[in-house]
Amino acid sequence: MMNIKNKSLLKTAVLAGAAAYLHLQNTWIQKTEYTIPVKNLAPENEGLKIVQISDLHLPKEKIDLNKLVSMTKEADPDFIFLTGDQIQGNDTFDPSVVEKLFRKLAAIAPTYAINGNHDRHSPMFQIALDLYKKTGIRYLDDEAISVLAKGRKPVVIMGLSDKSSAIQKITKDFLKKIRLRKDWQGQTRLLLAHRPEYFLKYHIDPEKSADITFAGHAHGGQIRIPRLGGLYAPGQGRMPQHTDGVYLLPTDPEKKLVVSRGLGGSSFPFRINNRPELIVVTLTNGSLSEIL
């Protein structure tokens, strides 16, 4: 029979192991790579690469920001997408830290950002907007631009501004305010939209329907159970449908949704079986079977 001393040592070991596990689950960045087929992708855009960074929740991040930058640089992307909640809504951040991060990202590749619900609620939101301008990050507020990476053909990048819950409930066409020029027709369309739960609503207008939508917000369901997925996500509730990975639009499987598990924490203090995630998406003319 185990004596009291051995029981105490075992208890200490279990607690230490649990603490180490929680630490790694909240600090150890996982790089997830997807190769996603795009219909009618221009041959020059074969292999075009995008790094998606989502839900940093600065200053509540527990990851090493320098490691995030080095992993992003190593991926050698054509574009970097910041898909919302870069900052925490109920906290203040050090502008010098955020400026340094933004400058480093913008130096790697053209970087585009949208807001999330936390950005919108932050008392420092205007400071964040000023930092985007100062560091060369393009902030997209219900707008679209046609951009050209070196050696590539143009693609359309659309950025959807996050709205209040009341406005979202009555909105049918989320992309109504976004304007696309006629001479952009035929270009691959990429959408930054913070909330994955409105995937269907992002495709109401076929003229603006994106080939790939990039979203976050769900935090991977916070606690992930193997084969079941995440347990809870804001906007989706219990057993959420869109928390991690690549999803196909039911009415048109050529249209995809990429959901990042995000990098930071928010109201819930821990990520369990749900490491912070950096996503790397490579575009190809390949078949759907590559991601199924």
Side-chain angles (χ1 to χ4, degrees), residues 31 36 56 64 72 84 92 97 127 161 275:
K31 181 174 75 171
I36 300 183
L56 277 165
D64 182 336
T72 300
T92 57
V97 172
I127 295 175
S161 177
R275 284 167 53 194

Side-chain angles (χ1 to χ4, degrees), residues 213-232:
T213 300
F214 294 81
H217 188 54
H219 288 245
Q222 209 65 60
I223 298 172
R224 296 188 64 80
I225 306 298
R227 298 184 181 181
L228 289 178
L231 296 185
Y232 181 85

